[in-house]
Amino acid sequence: MLKSTDQRPTISRATALRVQNLTPADVARWDAFVETCPVATFFHRAGWQTVIEQAFGHSTHFLFAEGPNGIEGVLPLARVRSFLFGHSLVSLPFCVYGGIAARTEEAFVALDNRARELAQQYKVDYLEYRHMAPYHPDRPTKHLYVTFRKEMAKEVEENLEAIPRKQRRMVRKGIKAGLVSEIDRDIERFFPIYAANVHRMGTPVFSRRYFRILRTVFGDDCRILTVTDAGTPVASVLNFYFRDQVLPYYGGGTPRAREVAGYDFMYWEVMRRACESGLRLFDFGRSKRDTGSFSFKKNWGFEPQPLYYEYDLVRARAMPDVNPLNPKYRYFIQAWQRLPLAVANRVGPWLSRNLG
């Protein structure tokens, strides 16, 4: 039964619901539901089915519960089979949020039951929901991640003044350095910066194809902002736009970016442009507790909000622990950092498809 205290859907007394798989004919109705469902996120959009299947080759089950009045709930699922990290059914890999988005408790339960049936049918290790609120306190829940979301002021200057003094000084440093932000129509400047950045962190890179598919599928709701210093790109970030929200999602910078406050200027420019466009909420995204990115986001005046990654263990005996903070991956990370960048960029996409 649905347990969230702050996002619990109202109970419906409608007739029995039908749980169906998304078809091309249902996409518009699915996305219309997501656009208006309070607990839905950008990562519930139907386009993720195309992204995950085409970019990573994983099979999907995008389920929706429908009653007499139309769609009452959706659940995007992907089946990830990895010889390195096991076999799982996840909502949704490569996404920070996911899980069941439903308006009624009946829809939530119907989708949950169907997902558990699929998990048993495929004999996966576990079923994972990436919820923003606790719905299954009786299931194992990972509390490793938090998110940072904050309502923006209506005026640009108000947003700048709301940034704590020390961090605001860094933003002004980037402005005084003469940095410029530009919106790119393709990934050609973004990808080399992003790829080199994740390599320095010891993380396998996603493929160019993945980012091209994101741009194709989500169109103007997926935009890249690049920061230049005297015409040379120093930082770049791919952003998602959903309703009245902006989500900087994949970003990176060159070593020069740290010298000229390129990261600070970059995120400020995303915020400034979003404010000028009338958007309301800045979603700084997921971070692991007590990491560098966690501290960076707090320095902007954002407060961490817990995420609830809930698991239904099928064949596994414990929740998975696939993250760079796990000591067992320390030597892999160090070895990956020593690889030539060209080799890492060639091998990385094959590995990253298993890291959802």
Side-chain angles (χ1 to χ4, degrees):
M1 180 175 288
L2 197 61
K3 298 291 185 180
S4 173
T5 57
D6 59 344
Q7 299 188 42
R8 179 179 180 134
T10 56
I11 297 177
S12 167
R13 298 187 180 279
T15 57
L17 300 173
R18 294 176 297 151
V19 174
Q20 305 175 73
N21 281 292
L22 177 68
T23 70
D26 303 312
V27 166
R29 295 193 304 130
W30 174 295
D31 279 342
F33 172 85
V34 169
E35 189 69 23
T36 58
C37 178
V39 297
T41 71
F42 181 84
F43 305 102
H44 288 90
R45 290 185 54 173
W48 284 101
Q49 183 172 52
T50 300
V51 171
I52 289 172
E53 290 181 353
Q54 291 189 5
F56 301 105
H58 300 310
S59 60
T60 62
H61 291 271
F62 272 46
L63 308 174
F64 65 93
E66 185 168 28
N69 297 318
I71 294 177
E72 297 186 15
V74 300
L75 172 57
L77 287 164
R79 184 182 172 200
V80 180
R81 289 185 284 185
S82 167
F83 74 92
L84 293 172
F85 306 114
H87 185 190
S88 59
L89 196 59
V90 185
S91 180
L92 198 60
F94 314 103
C95 302
V96 296
Y97 314 135
I100 301 171
R103 285 205 182 99
T104 65
E105 189 159 353
E106 282 84 353
F108 187 101
V109 172
L111 290 165
D112 189 26
N113 288 342
R114 179 57 182 145
R116 298 182 79 181
E117 290 173 0
L118 288 171
Q120 292 289 340
Q121 175 185 328
Y122 290 126
K123 298 179 181 179
V124 299
D125 297 321
Y126 57 86
L127 166 66
E128 176 184 349
Y129 293 147
R130 299 182 176 180
H131 282 140
M132 297 178 69
Y135 291 104
H136 297 102
D138 56 325
R139 297 185 192 178
T141 302
K142 184 181 292 184
H143 299 285
L144 174 66
Y145 299 107
V146 297
T147 190
F148 293 84
R149 293 159 57 87
K150 185 178 180 180
E151 188 167 340
M152 293 183 290
K154 292 183 179 180
E155 301 298 329
V156 169
E157 195 61 29
E158 286 184 65
N159 286 305
L160 184 59
E161 291 301 316
I163 301 172
R165 182 172 56 85
K166 186 176 180 180
Q167 181 59 49
R168 186 167 66 247
R169 187 165 62 245
M170 294 300 293
V171 172
R172 293 194 186 280
K173 178 181 176 180
I175 295 173
K176 291 178 181 178
L179 301 182
V180 175
S181 71
E182 302 166 351
I183 301 299
D184 287 348
R185 293 184 175 274
D186 55 43
I187 68 167
E188 298 313 308
R189 295 198 296 181
F190 161 82
F191 186 80
I193 294 174
Y194 164 79
N197 195 77
V198 296
H199 179 248
R200 287 194 297 272
M201 295 188 296
T203 304
V205 69
F206 291 116
S207 68
R208 288 177 181 268
R209 175 177 166 78
Y210 171 52
F211 295 108
R212 290 189 178 118
I213 291 173
L214 285 174
R215 289 278 296 118
T216 298
V217 170
F218 295 118
D220 199 43
D221 292 335
C222 173
R223 303 175 216 164
I224 294 171
L225 180 143
T226 297
V227 172
T228 61
D229 175 25
T232 300
V234 295
S236 191
V237 60
L238 183 148
N239 308 280
F240 294 137
Y241 293 82
F242 177 67
R243 295 198 288 236
D244 57 355
Q245 306 167 24
V246 59
L247 298 81
Y249 204 67
Y250 294 111
T254 67
R256 174 65 175 165
R258 293 194 180 278
E259 299 174 15
V260 294
Y263 290 97
D264 312 272
F265 179 80
M266 177 176 73
Y267 289 115
W268 164 245
E269 283 295 284
V270 173
M271 184 180 292
R272 178 186 66 79
R273 289 169 178 266
C275 174
E276 291 179 345
S277 297
L279 302 187
R280 180 187 62 85
L281 190 138
F282 191 93
D283 187 331
F284 231 148
R286 183 183 81 176
S287 290
K288 303 177 189 71
R289 297 177 186 271
D290 303 320
T291 60
S293 66
F294 177 96
S295 299
F296 179 77
K297 294 169 186 178
K298 284 201 71 175
N299 290 343
W300 280 73
F302 286 65
E303 287 300 318
Q305 303 165 34
L307 292 175
Y308 301 86
Y309 285 17
E310 299 174 332
Y311 294 83
D312 185 19
L313 303 181
V314 181
R315 301 182 67 183
R317 296 186 178 181
M319 292 186 294
D321 189 18
V322 182
N323 80 84
L325 300 182
N326 187 334
K328 68 187 273 188
Y329 299 118
R330 182 184 311 148
Y331 296 112
F332 171 83
I333 292 171
Q334 293 173 350
W336 193 264
Q337 290 170 322
R338 290 193 293 268
L339 280 178
L341 180 59
V343 176
N345 283 351
R346 182 177 295 274
V347 180
W350 178 79
L351 286 172
S352 64
R353 68 182 297 275
N354 300 298
L355 296 174

